[in-house]
Amino acid sequence: MQKLRLLLWATVALVAFAVGGVMIARWLDVDLAGGMRAQVTPVPAIGGAFSLVDTEGRRVSDADLKGKPAAMFFGFTHCPDVCPTTLVEASAWLKALGPDAEKLRVVFVSVDPERDTPELLKAYLSSFDARITGLTGTVAEVDAIKKAYRVFARKVPQGATYTVDHSASVYLMDADGRFTGTIAWQEAPESALAKLRRLVGG
Ligand code: NI
């Protein structure tokens, strides 16, 4: 009886050990496979075709931006903080780049097409570096670029009017319109400049 009980316990322990081993092996397997998949899966495409208008009402498409790298960001003229701050920073980047600034486009895309007409955008951007290009469009055109660039922007009611919650990152695109990275909201100027210098190949 004692021997049988011992044998039973030994069997239980062996089964538990085997099952545990299989589970660990499986878990490692899944993890390894996941890690390998993560390495080969391409970054989800950010960017692509769009058609908008600039502050003079001229049509601008993704094809027009090619040939020069671009720092693009998305916002709206009624923005109380993120947009003016980013535009001040972008103006400082352009100044700091010196002659290399010619190799870069800085583009501000409105995510509030209902209010941001080309005229309003022009007046708004006149407070910042003149080299910053402003783009806007119809609701459908802006929706299309938001989707292509995976930009988050959502109207939020505010009293009788509204504000827009939106992504604050600056998108860095190479001369072929390919996404290469971002400058984060309030990233240190040295870090942002290093990224921009790399982008323009300086
Ligand atoms: Ni903003």
Side-chain angles (χ1 to χ4, degrees):
M1 205 55 194
Q2 191 81 2
K3 265 188 180 168
L4 186 65
R5 192 176 289 170
L6 253 172
L7 195 72
L8 270 170
W9 275 117
T11 309
V12 166
L14 203 72
V15 168
F17 184 76
V19 168
V22 166
M23 282 172 75
I24 287 167
R26 252 191 211 163
W27 174 69
L28 281 175
D29 215 301
V30 165
D31 195 38
L32 282 173
M36 271 145 72
R37 265 199 301 278
Q39 281 179 354
V40 295
T41 305
V43 176
I46 289 176
F50 67 82
S51 179
L52 295 167
V53 290
D54 69 10
T55 52
E56 302 300 326
R58 292 174 297 220
R59 192 87 353 228
V60 174
S61 76
D62 52 302
D64 295 312
L65 295 193
K66 286 183 184 165
K68 257 190 200 186
M72 299 179 71
F73 56 111
F74 297 79
F76 65 115
T77 63
H78 290 70
C79 183
D81 42 36
V82 172
C83 295
T85 304
T86 306
L87 286 161
V88 165
E89 287 175 349
S91 301
W93 299 335
L94 284 166
K95 199 174 173 199
L97 280 172
D100 276 344
E102 275 176 44
K103 302 178 197 164
L104 178 73
R105 290 183 217 280
V106 177
V107 183
F108 178 72
V109 181
S110 172
V111 289
D112 186 11
E114 288 159 73
R115 290 187 293 201
D116 289 344
T117 59
E119 297 75 28
L120 181 60
L121 201 52
K122 185 179 179 174
Y124 177 70
L125 289 176
S126 69
S127 303
F128 309 98
D129 193 294
R131 291 168 286 190
I132 299 171
T133 302
L135 298 179
T136 186
T138 64
V139 171
E141 285 165 349
V142 168
D143 278 346
I145 193 168
K146 275 166 60 182
K147 201 172 165 199
Y149 281 76
R150 293 163 189 271
V151 169
F152 166 81
R154 182 176 59 110
K155 268 167 91 166
V156 180
Q158 196 177 57
T161 175
Y162 64 90
T163 184
V164 184
D165 278 352
H166 65 90
S167 316
S169 292
V170 176
Y171 292 62
L172 303 177
M173 313 299 291
D174 71 11
D176 295 317
R178 285 178 305 222
F179 173 79
T180 66
T182 60
I183 294 174
W185 161 239
Q186 293 196 318
E187 186 161 331
E190 323 76 80
S191 167
L193 269 172
K195 288 178 180 179
L196 291 170
R197 288 207 175 95
R198 214 175 306 136
L199 187 67
V200 299

